[in-house]
Amino acid sequence: MTVVLIVLALLPLLAAGAALVAPVRVTQALTLASALACFGMALALVPDAGRRDLHTVFLRVDALSAVFVLATAFVYAACAAHSIGYLRHDEKARDFGRYARRFYAGFNLFAWSMLCAPLVDGLALLWIAVEITTVVSALLVAVENTEGATEAAWKYVLIASAGLGVALLATIFMYYAGAQVLGQTYDLAFDPLVKAAPRLPDTPVRLAFVLAVLGFGTKVGLVPVHTWLPDAHAEAPTPVSAMLSGSLLAVSFYAVLRYYQITAATVGTHFPRTVLLVFGIASLLLAALYLLDQHDIKRLLAYSSVEHMGILAIGVGFGATLALTGVLLHVLAHAAAKANAFMGAGALVRKYRTKEIRHLRGGADLLPWSAPLFLAAVLALSAMPPFGIFRSEFQIVAGGLRSGQYGPAAALVVLVTVAFMGLAIAATRIVLTPAPAAVGGDGGPIRGEPSVWMVAPVLAGVAALVVLGLHPPADLVHLLARGAAELGGTA
């Protein structure tokens, strides 16, 4: 497995280098091959990571990190396939070759940084990996070179950089706490810190955790440090939006979970769980209200991401093993569902040439595959059975009730229902409401899919969601159980 870890951490980087020199078709093939290989290797990690930790130089995988590697690799593979069809719309542009080289170089670098974040061993290396995701993803948000994209990227850089500055301060405080027990020369690796956690001084650890939630929470999209997220997701190319929502937010939440592990072992679970409950409920409340009145399809999905990050924070705040298992399952299910939703939205935007929801009508007539699949993705995000998010949210709520958190559990159910109303109303109008003019009329869009490459990865995502909802594989169940035990301090 050592070779698997090294290749997994290097392969997207090699694909990014190839994208700078290879022809576009070759670059697309290499990107897809790299993404599929990474997903295959992530799957190969599942059985071993469900039983033991895997180590090599600077790299470490346990059950917790393996969940986030798997989610990222799946989104990378789906978006790599989707991007082939998505970029065909621009092939006749004069500077398409230059644009495609920049896009695929950044796309593979983005995937590389997000795969490295849960693979690296240590809080300092984790901060560096998350910082790299910020730089690369900001360039990808601005790659369209429009005024809106440039403004969104600049806003993203300012807010995320400020947040990661706070996260760096959290890293410094945690280093100070660890140095009191482990000496001045230790390297912030996870295992020594977790083992020494009961002996660490309380005050710097508490402070480090709050700063980590604020700092990395900026990248997660937690309220009130979420304001970059709707603009960046709306202006980025659709494959990038899918990776931002499906993977980047979760990877940033992984960083918060590492601080949660150490803090819970140092000061007990009450303090960090309370902090996450406050941030989670605030995020879920704001997102649910905003979902009721959105006019841009991609901003709608962006606020849905804020909602689901709030659900993850609430689930960890409940603290019960069942809720923690649901949180890790939710990471996987949300990655598949949100990638599907953005890819479906990308097909709609390509067909109608607008992101305005009021102009998107008759989707089922114009896009006989993509529109129903988009509706299925929205239903999955709304926790409808038989999809994986229904199972994960059911486990989170049940864990909240089991831990005696009746008020937050009730708030979770109510706010998720409000969010469902906002998502479902918009999606059903887009897909099922007849278009005002005849399909294929003068100047109107023509019936048919933009590309099979924009449909196939969404079908794969639906299949993954159904498997996660009805009968997750045994190895994956063991992985989730061990990851929950690691979070709960009982591994």
PDB file of all heavy atoms in Angstrom, residues 203-218:
ATOM      1  N   THR A 203      -5.917  25.572  27.905  1.00  0.00           N
ATOM      2  CA  THR A 203      -6.241  26.881  27.320  1.00  0.00           C
ATOM      3  C   THR A 203      -5.751  27.037  25.873  1.00  0.00           C
ATOM      4  O   THR A 203      -6.532  27.432  24.997  1.00  0.00           O
ATOM      5  CB  THR A 203      -5.688  28.011  28.199  1.00  0.00           C
ATOM      6  OG1 THR A 203      -6.270  27.913  29.503  1.00  0.00           O
ATOM      7  CG2 THR A 203      -6.010  29.372  27.595  1.00  0.00           C
ATOM      8  N   PRO A 204      -4.479  26.756  25.556  1.00  0.00           N
ATOM      9  CA  PRO A 204      -4.061  26.895  24.154  1.00  0.00           C
ATOM     10  C   PRO A 204      -4.771  25.925  23.224  1.00  0.00           C
ATOM     11  O   PRO A 204      -5.004  26.246  22.051  1.00  0.00           O
ATOM     12  CB  PRO A 204      -2.551  26.637  24.195  1.00  0.00           C
ATOM     13  CG  PRO A 204      -2.294  25.958  25.484  1.00  0.00           C
ATOM     14  CD  PRO A 204      -3.336  26.431  26.435  1.00  0.00           C
ATOM     15  N   VAL A 205      -5.139  24.743  23.725  1.00  0.00           N
ATOM     16  CA  VAL A 205      -5.856  23.784  22.881  1.00  0.00           C
ATOM     17  C   VAL A 205      -7.264  24.296  22.563  1.00  0.00           C
ATOM     18  O   VAL A 205      -7.735  24.221  21.424  1.00  0.00           O
ATOM     19  CB  VAL A 205      -5.910  22.396  23.554  1.00  0.00           C
ATOM     20  CG1 VAL A 205      -6.831  21.459  22.780  1.00  0.00           C
ATOM     21  CG2 VAL A 205      -4.506  21.804  23.632  1.00  0.00           C
ATOM     22  N   ARG A 206      -7.950  24.828  23.579  1.00  0.00           N
ATOM     23  CA  ARG A 206      -9.282  25.418  23.327  1.00  0.00           C
ATOM     24  C   ARG A 206      -9.198  26.558  22.316  1.00  0.00           C
ATOM     25  O   ARG A 206     -10.006  26.653  21.390  1.00  0.00           O
ATOM     26  CB  ARG A 206      -9.867  25.947  24.638  1.00  0.00           C
ATOM     27  CG  ARG A 206     -10.290  24.895  25.652  1.00  0.00           C
ATOM     28  CD  ARG A 206     -10.741  25.581  26.942  1.00  0.00           C
ATOM     29  NE  ARG A 206     -10.999  24.628  28.004  1.00  0.00           N
ATOM     30  CZ  ARG A 206     -12.195  24.084  28.252  1.00  0.00           C
ATOM     31  NH1 ARG A 206     -13.235  24.428  27.494  1.00  0.00           N
ATOM     32  NH2 ARG A 206     -12.346  23.230  29.246  1.00  0.00           N
ATOM     33  N   LEU A 207      -8.218  27.411  22.511  1.00  0.00           N
ATOM     34  CA  LEU A 207      -8.055  28.543  21.611  1.00  0.00           C
ATOM     35  C   LEU A 207      -7.726  28.067  20.200  1.00  0.00           C
ATOM     36  O   LEU A 207      -8.262  28.596  19.204  1.00  0.00           O
ATOM     37  CB  LEU A 207      -6.958  29.464  22.141  1.00  0.00           C
ATOM     38  CG  LEU A 207      -6.728  30.770  21.381  1.00  0.00           C
ATOM     39  CD1 LEU A 207      -8.003  31.583  21.278  1.00  0.00           C
ATOM     40  CD2 LEU A 207      -5.619  31.585  22.053  1.00  0.00           C
ATOM     41  N   ALA A 208      -6.854  27.068  20.088  1.00  0.00           N
ATOM     42  CA  ALA A 208      -6.498  26.535  18.778  1.00  0.00           C
ATOM     43  C   ALA A 208      -7.721  25.969  18.071  1.00  0.00           C
ATOM     44  O   ALA A 208      -7.895  26.156  16.852  1.00  0.00           O
ATOM     45  CB  ALA A 208      -5.422  25.458  18.927  1.00  0.00           C
ATOM     46  N   PHE A 209      -8.595  25.295  18.805  1.00  0.00           N
ATOM     47  CA  PHE A 209      -9.775  24.706  18.181  1.00  0.00           C
ATOM     48  C   PHE A 209     -10.731  25.780  17.656  1.00  0.00           C
ATOM     49  O   PHE A 209     -11.217  25.698  16.520  1.00  0.00           O
ATOM     50  CB  PHE A 209     -10.509  23.804  19.164  1.00  0.00           C
ATOM     51  CG  PHE A 209     -11.754  23.193  18.579  1.00  0.00           C
ATOM     52  CD1 PHE A 209     -11.679  22.191  17.629  1.00  0.00           C
ATOM     53  CD2 PHE A 209     -13.009  23.649  18.971  1.00  0.00           C
ATOM     54  CE1 PHE A 209     -12.821  21.645  17.076  1.00  0.00           C
ATOM     55  CE2 PHE A 209     -14.160  23.103  18.425  1.00  0.00           C
ATOM     56  CZ  PHE A 209     -14.067  22.097  17.471  1.00  0.00           C
ATOM     57  N   VAL A 210     -10.991  26.800  18.466  1.00  0.00           N
ATOM     58  CA  VAL A 210     -11.896  27.866  18.017  1.00  0.00           C
ATOM     59  C   VAL A 210     -11.316  28.574  16.793  1.00  0.00           C
ATOM     60  O   VAL A 210     -12.028  28.862  15.818  1.00  0.00           O
ATOM     61  CB  VAL A 210     -12.144  28.868  19.163  1.00  0.00           C
ATOM     62  CG1 VAL A 210     -12.947  30.064  18.655  1.00  0.00           C
ATOM     63  CG2 VAL A 210     -12.883  28.189  20.299  1.00  0.00           C
ATOM     64  N   LEU A 211     -10.018  28.842  16.814  1.00  0.00           N
ATOM     65  CA  LEU A 211      -9.378  29.478  15.667  1.00  0.00           C
ATOM     66  C   LEU A 211      -9.423  28.570  14.437  1.00  0.00           C
ATOM     67  O   LEU A 211      -9.592  29.049  13.310  1.00  0.00           O
ATOM     68  CB  LEU A 211      -7.936  29.841  16.009  1.00  0.00           C
ATOM     69  CG  LEU A 211      -7.747  30.952  17.041  1.00  0.00           C
ATOM     70  CD1 LEU A 211      -6.279  31.084  17.415  1.00  0.00           C
ATOM     71  CD2 LEU A 211      -8.292  32.272  16.517  1.00  0.00           C
ATOM     72  N   ALA A 212      -9.274  27.256  14.638  1.00  0.00           N
ATOM     73  CA  ALA A 212      -9.340  26.324  13.517  1.00  0.00           C
ATOM     74  C   ALA A 212     -10.737  26.299  12.909  1.00  0.00           C
ATOM     75  O   ALA A 212     -10.893  26.249  11.682  1.00  0.00           O
ATOM     76  CB  ALA A 212      -8.936  24.921  13.977  1.00  0.00           C
ATOM     77  N   VAL A 213     -11.763  26.319  13.752  1.00  0.00           N
ATOM     78  CA  VAL A 213     -13.133  26.324  13.232  1.00  0.00           C
ATOM     79  C   VAL A 213     -13.390  27.602  12.436  1.00  0.00           C
ATOM     80  O   VAL A 213     -14.001  27.569  11.362  1.00  0.00           O
ATOM     81  CB  VAL A 213     -14.150  26.169  14.377  1.00  0.00           C
ATOM     82  CG1 VAL A 213     -15.574  26.345  13.862  1.00  0.00           C
ATOM     83  CG2 VAL A 213     -14.001  24.804  15.033  1.00  0.00           C
ATOM     84  N   LEU A 214     -12.916  28.744  12.950  1.00  0.00           N
ATOM     85  CA  LEU A 214     -13.085  29.999  12.228  1.00  0.00           C
ATOM     86  C   LEU A 214     -12.245  30.027  10.960  1.00  0.00           C
ATOM     87  O   LEU A 214     -12.712  30.447   9.894  1.00  0.00           O
ATOM     88  CB  LEU A 214     -12.696  31.175  13.126  1.00  0.00           C
ATOM     89  CG  LEU A 214     -13.740  31.676  14.113  1.00  0.00           C
ATOM     90  CD1 LEU A 214     -13.129  32.701  15.053  1.00  0.00           C
ATOM     91  CD2 LEU A 214     -14.932  32.274  13.381  1.00  0.00           C
ATOM     92  N   GLY A 215     -11.002  29.592  11.069  1.00  0.00           N
ATOM     93  CA  GLY A 215     -10.081  29.675   9.941  1.00  0.00           C
ATOM     94  C   GLY A 215     -10.411  28.696   8.835  1.00  0.00           C
ATOM     95  O   GLY A 215     -10.684  29.092   7.687  1.00  0.00           O
ATOM     96  N   PHE A 216     -10.369  27.411   9.151  1.00  0.00           N
ATOM     97  CA  PHE A 216     -10.722  26.419   8.140  1.00  0.00           C
ATOM     98  C   PHE A 216     -12.213  26.478   7.805  1.00  0.00           C
ATOM     99  O   PHE A 216     -12.625  26.107   6.702  1.00  0.00           O
ATOM    100  CB  PHE A 216     -10.344  25.014   8.623  1.00  0.00           C
ATOM    101  CG  PHE A 216      -8.867  24.761   8.670  1.00  0.00           C
ATOM    102  CD1 PHE A 216      -8.212  24.572   9.882  1.00  0.00           C
ATOM    103  CD2 PHE A 216      -8.112  24.720   7.509  1.00  0.00           C
ATOM    104  CE1 PHE A 216      -6.849  24.344   9.938  1.00  0.00           C
ATOM    105  CE2 PHE A 216      -6.748  24.489   7.549  1.00  0.00           C
ATOM    106  CZ  PHE A 216      -6.114  24.302   8.764  1.00  0.00           C
ATOM    107  N   GLY A 217     -13.025  26.956   8.757  1.00  0.00           N
ATOM    108  CA  GLY A 217     -14.448  27.120   8.487  1.00  0.00           C
ATOM    109  C   GLY A 217     -14.722  28.109   7.373  1.00  0.00           C
ATOM    110  O   GLY A 217     -15.772  28.044   6.714  1.00  0.00           O
ATOM    111  N   THR A 218     -13.780  29.013   7.131  1.00  0.00           N
ATOM    112  CA  THR A 218     -13.905  29.905   5.982  1.00  0.00           C
ATOM    113  C   THR A 218     -13.940  29.104   4.689  1.00  0.00           C
ATOM    114  O   THR A 218     -14.741  29.389   3.784  1.00  0.00           O
ATOM    115  CB  THR A 218     -12.719  30.892   5.959  1.00  0.00           C
ATOM    116  OG1 THR A 218     -12.673  31.595   7.194  1.00  0.00           O
ATOM    117  CG2 THR A 218     -12.851  31.872   4.815  1.00  0.00           C
TER     118      THR A 218
END
